[in-house]
Amino acid sequence: MKERAERQTGSLTVGIVGLGLIGGSMARAYRAADHRVLATDLNTRAIASACDEGVINGILDRTTLPECDLLLLAVYPAAATACLSDWADAIKKSTVVLDLCGTKRRVCDTCFAIAQEHGFDFVGGHPMAGTQFSGFESSRADLFKGAPMVLVMPPEARSDLKERVITLLSPIGFGSFSDTTAAAHDRVIAFTSQLAHVVSNAYVKSPQAQIHHGFSAGSYRDLTRVAWLNEAMWCELFLENRDYLSDEIDGIIRALTEYKEALDSEDAARLKALLREGRIAKENADKGDPS
């Protein structure tokens, strides 16, 4: 179910845990829309930069937490669940909490239970935008403009909760919203994002990568862009989603083996058929894609 992000909201106080690329971009977008932003990060340089640039209005802690209308957990999955567990008793019941993690099953299972126990609303979220760069210095206010936002609603959610979340997120400028289950999200994201990072990271390990200059163009750039990654974050995400990601790796190994066997046996007919299958699969996958 998809909805366009065209909502208006009054002045908000937004709390953000984590001022990396995602959290920093969220902070910039809310401040650009004249909302009040409170934030915390273990990286004191990120906090100092955000204060100096006027991206945040103050520090998020247990004393300022009750002032938040919206709390965004823009950190790794384990840190997100630990933070919510530690701060749950200080969150007011009218606050909506969203995580912005790249996997959803463990985060949502844990955080739905915490929210239910303490009487506030938690919704899983995954903004479908980013870059190969990380850190507050790479953040920008328009990172999510026009991008899709995936939501995982809690079991037996109130009928108005999704509408409220869309309203709270309206200053970010998302192009659409869709809702799904945590398991369905993780199954698809293993292919659309995680496998792409694994393949890119493995591909660039060829010795030819070190001597490619003058011999490469768009194909090389496209395939290697996400090899430049934050290994700490992606390691945690991969392990969180290891069952689905392992299945996808098995699938691409099987497919690559077919190409290798056709090459090794000089089977032109088989190789041409494999290439045709891939072209048709791409055409079919792109049908109806708004991008």
Side-chain angles (χ1 to χ4, degrees), residues 13 72 88 212 255:
T13 294
L72 300 174
H212 78 89

Side-chain angles (χ1 to χ4, degrees), residues 80-265:
T81 56
C83 176
L84 192 64
S85 178
D86 290 344
W87 281 6
D89 62 331
I91 298 173
K92 66 182 179 183
K93 289 181 169 47
S94 61
T95 299
V96 174
V97 183
L98 270 82
D99 83 285
L100 304 175
C101 301
T103 55
K104 295 268 73 82
R105 282 176 292 172
R106 184 174 297 184
V107 170
C108 286
D109 284 349
T110 302
C111 293
F112 284 153
I114 293 171
Q116 184 176 32
E117 178 185 353
H118 290 273
F120 58 82
D121 290 312
F122 173 86
V123 174
H126 190 181
M128 304 310 298
T131 75
Q132 68 269 38
F133 305 111
S134 61
F136 180 75
E137 63 275 12
S138 300
S139 64
R140 62 179 201 262
D142 64 348
L143 181 65
F144 308 109
K145 189 171 181 59
M149 176 64 169
V150 180
L151 301 175
V152 178
M153 305 303 295
E156 302 177 359
R158 298 192 323 274
S159 59
D160 66 332
L161 180 57
K162 182 180 177 183
E163 183 70 19
R164 186 176 177 212
V165 170
I166 292 174
T167 299
L168 289 168
L169 291 174
S170 61
I172 303 301
F174 287 112
S176 65
F177 288 85
S178 60
D179 59 90
T180 186
T181 65
H185 169 277
D186 288 358
R187 169 78 274 183
V188 175
I189 216 71
F191 168 72
T192 61
S193 176
Q194 295 184 342
L195 180 64
H197 282 78
V198 169
V199 170
S200 180
N201 198 263
Y203 170 81
V204 82
K205 292 177 181 178
S206 167
Q208 307 311 312
Q210 304 308 314
I211 58 172
H212 78 89
H213 302 287
F215 294 86
S216 59
S219 297
Y220 174 84
R221 289 193 300 271
D222 290 347
L223 191 49
T224 60
R225 181 180 67 83
V226 293
W228 192 349
L229 47 70
N230 178 338
E231 59 268 23
M233 181 187 76
W234 284 102
C235 177
E236 183 171 333
L237 293 175
F238 290 166
L239 290 175
E240 286 274 342
N241 211 30
R242 59 190 177 275
D243 49 352
Y244 289 150
L245 179 55
S246 183
D247 285 347
E248 291 297 336
I249 292 174
D250 282 342
I252 199 166
I253 288 173
R254 287 193 297 270
L256 289 172
T257 299
E258 291 188 77
Y259 290 94
K260 182 179 182 341
E261 290 174 348
L263 287 168
D264 290 347
S265 63

Side-chain angles (χ1 to χ4, degrees), residues 15-34:
I16 301 178
V17 180
L19 282 178
L21 174 68
I22 301 301
S25 296
M26 287 282 181
R28 291 183 187 278
Y30 277 109
R31 284 299 298 133
D34 293 325

